[in-house]
Amino acid sequence: MQKQYIRPVLGQEVSAPAGYYLPVKEEFIQINGRTALAVYGCLCLDNSCCGAGSWNYIQVPGYLTEKLPAEKSESHFDIETISSEKERQEIRLDLSLQHPQAIIEIG
């Protein structure tokens, strides 16, 4: 499925009911000859009724549908979500080997 992905502002906290998350880095990764977007960040639960905690996350919203932009100033990308379970598993394995403590979300 194709959709528009609005890029987060890196370094800016995003409030959530139980805390906040903080996107810190974007990276374009090559997977099976295609380019996917990966967003790295931190998540902090500090207002939860069940306790507190924090951890790192990696969000892979999908594959870019167009060539990599020359400038990273665009506020959004058109992406194709990753629907193949095999591809999702490959991405998760590759990223978890590089970042073993991160929670990985694939769109």
Side-chain angles (χ1 to χ4, degrees), residues 5-20:
Y5 175 78
I6 298 174
R7 298 169 68 193
V9 177
L10 300 180
Q12 181 175 321
E13 290 181 5
V14 179
S15 295
Y20 63 92

Side-chain angles (χ1 to χ4, degrees), residues 61-79:
Y63 294 119
L64 297 180
T65 60
E66 299 176 1
K67 288 186 176 183
L68 193 60
E71 294 184 27
K72 285 188 159 187
S73 62
E74 294 186 38
S75 62
H76 68 277
F77 294 117
D78 290 328
I79 61 165

Side-chain angles (χ1 to χ4, degrees), residues 1-5 34 60-65 77-84 87-88 106-107:
M1 176 172 73
Q2 199 166 345
K3 63 181 183 177
Q4 191 174 77
Y5 175 78
R34 297 187 71 186
V60 183
Y63 294 119
L64 297 180
T65 60
F77 294 117
D78 290 328
I79 61 165
E80 178 186 329
T81 56
I82 302 167
S83 56
S84 164
E87 290 178 25
R88 293 165 79 89
I106 300 173

Side-chain angles (χ1 to χ4, degrees), residues 42-61:
C42 308
L43 176 67
C44 179
L45 296 178
D46 59 1
N47 293 322
S48 172
C49 64
C50 322
S54 64
W55 53 88
N56 294 326
Y57 70 86
I58 304 171
Q59 179 187 35
V60 183

